[in-house]
Amino acid sequence: MKRILQSISMIMTLSLTAQSYDFGIVSDYSGTGDSYDFTFVATPDFDNANPNMADIQLTVAISTGNTIQTNSFTELFGTDWQVNTALTGTTLQGFGIGDGSRDIWVFSLPVPTSALTTPHSTGVGIPMLSFVVDNMPTSGEIAILENNDPIATGLAGIGFVVDNVINADLGDGNGTQDYYGQTDPTNNSFIFSSLSVGEILDNTLEVNLYPNPAKDMFGVRGDISRIHSIEIYTINGQLVKTVESEFDKISISELETSVYILKIYGDEIRSKTLKLVKH
């Protein structure tokens, strides 16, 4: 019994200390105001001063009818990124896979001719690649395709592997392994309707947010006497908070560190949509 308990303890310890990178996509990572400019970010759950990245692959799914600019790629880490595949929903259906509502795009950075290294810290994302959805859609979504998604498993069944992968040698004696963990829970998909930000209806509601970025509290400044409610959404379009009073001091201590979309509703037809960054 003692040996069994020791074995269980060792397994639990290994599972708790496993190292991995989570994959996310971030809208307007550079802060230019272009919500349809997406950046692929790999976020480690460990510190490493000299990891050797050997082979990376990211697969995204986008609602059919929307397109990614094939000349819009900006390489932020590595210089040989490739778009291996762009399979339409119709093509996938021809293989008996999916319902035709999603296209997939596969981006890969093959084994480089020289080592790619970047020191990193726990929880700090590493920007890899940026690209633009060029038709500025107001419906549908873009998301990282999970490795267990029926499209991914269906393609694997016919010999076409689109799994998310990040092979690396961490210098710990274990050689090169795949350290992909999961999709970032807060930045794995975006509903396009939430990205159509800026002033909506009209721009006569003259307000702004302060401080922005904020930590636990922020307020609305300006024409707040005309405001009757504020809705706070995640960048993925999920409503997380509604505020109907005290607009000059709004607590966000319960919200996770991320970027949020605020829809501020005023009297008559006045309304405004703003971005808030929570640290």
Side-chain angles (χ1 to χ4, degrees):
M1 175 64 74
K2 183 177 181 181
R3 288 183 178 178
I4 293 174
L5 291 175
Q6 287 176 334
S7 298
I8 293 173
S9 177
M10 288 177 64
I11 292 171
M12 290 179 65
T13 300
L14 287 172
S15 65
L16 290 173
T17 57
Q19 297 171 316
S20 64
Y21 298 86
D22 290 352
F23 284 9
I25 49 174
V26 179
S27 169
D28 192 21
Y29 181 87
S30 59
T32 62
D34 185 354
S35 299
Y36 294 95
D37 187 337
F38 293 94
T39 299
F40 161 38
V41 176
T43 302
D45 63 3
F46 61 99
D47 297 342
N48 195 294
N50 195 37
N52 184 353
M53 311 289 187
D55 185 15
I56 305 170
Q57 180 167 284
L58 166 74
T59 301
V60 299
I62 185 170
S63 298
T64 299
N66 300 309
T67 54
I68 293 175
Q69 286 182 11
T70 56
N71 62 347
S72 68
F73 308 127
T74 301
E75 297 168 319
L76 304 173
F77 180 78
T79 57
D80 296 308
W81 281 95
Q82 302 171 4
V83 183
N84 285 347
T85 311
L87 293 175
T88 67
T90 301
T91 300
L92 291 169
Q93 279 190 304
F95 294 135
I97 299 170
D99 59 5
S101 65
R102 294 182 293 169
D103 302 339
I104 67 165
W105 295 70
V106 182
F107 307 98
S108 68
L109 180 65
V111 177
T113 55
S114 59
L116 289 174
T117 62
T118 179
H120 60 64
S121 302
T122 302
V124 180
I126 306 166
M128 296 280 181
L129 171 80
S130 68
F131 57 88
V132 175
V133 177
D134 61 1
N135 60 322
M136 300 184 67
T138 57
S139 63
E141 69 174 343
I142 185 171
I144 297 177
L145 191 74
E146 303 274 7
N147 287 356
N148 62 355
D149 187 282
I151 289 180
T153 56
L155 286 171
I158 60 174
F160 193 85
V161 180
V162 296
D163 284 357
N164 299 307
V165 172
I166 181 164
N167 286 319
D169 183 343
L170 304 182
D172 55 5
N174 291 321
T176 298
Q177 299 183 33
D178 180 9
Y179 287 95
Y180 172 71
Q182 63 179 359
T183 59
D184 184 335
T186 61
N187 286 306
N188 59 18
S189 66
F190 291 87
I191 297 173
F192 289 130
S193 60
S194 72
L195 300 181
S196 304
V197 297
E199 288 78 31
I200 56 177
L201 300 181
D202 68 34
N203 61 1
T204 59
L205 191 58
E206 298 296 337
V207 295
N208 57 62
L209 309 178
Y210 182 84
N212 189 11
K215 185 176 181 182
D216 295 322
M217 184 86 68
F218 78 97
V220 179
R221 289 186 170 183
D223 202 6
I224 63 173
S225 63
R226 295 181 180 273
I227 300 174
H228 65 72
S229 66
I230 297 174
E231 293 176 346
I232 303 178
Y233 292 83
T234 67
I235 200 70
N236 303 323
Q238 178 186 2
L239 178 65
V240 293
K241 189 180 183 77
T242 299
V243 181
E244 297 181 337
S245 63
E246 296 186 285
F247 305 118
D248 59 336
K249 48 180 180 179
I250 300 172
S251 174
I252 52 171
S253 58
E254 76 278 17
L255 301 183
E256 296 181 355
T257 299
S258 188
V259 177
Y260 293 89
I261 304 298
L262 272 65
K263 294 187 177 181
I264 305 173
Y265 297 98
D267 57 7
E268 300 174 0
I269 64 169
R270 296 178 177 83
S271 185
K272 194 167 188 177
T273 304
L274 299 171
K275 278 185 180 179
L276 173 70
V277 178
K278 182 183 187 298
H279 282 171

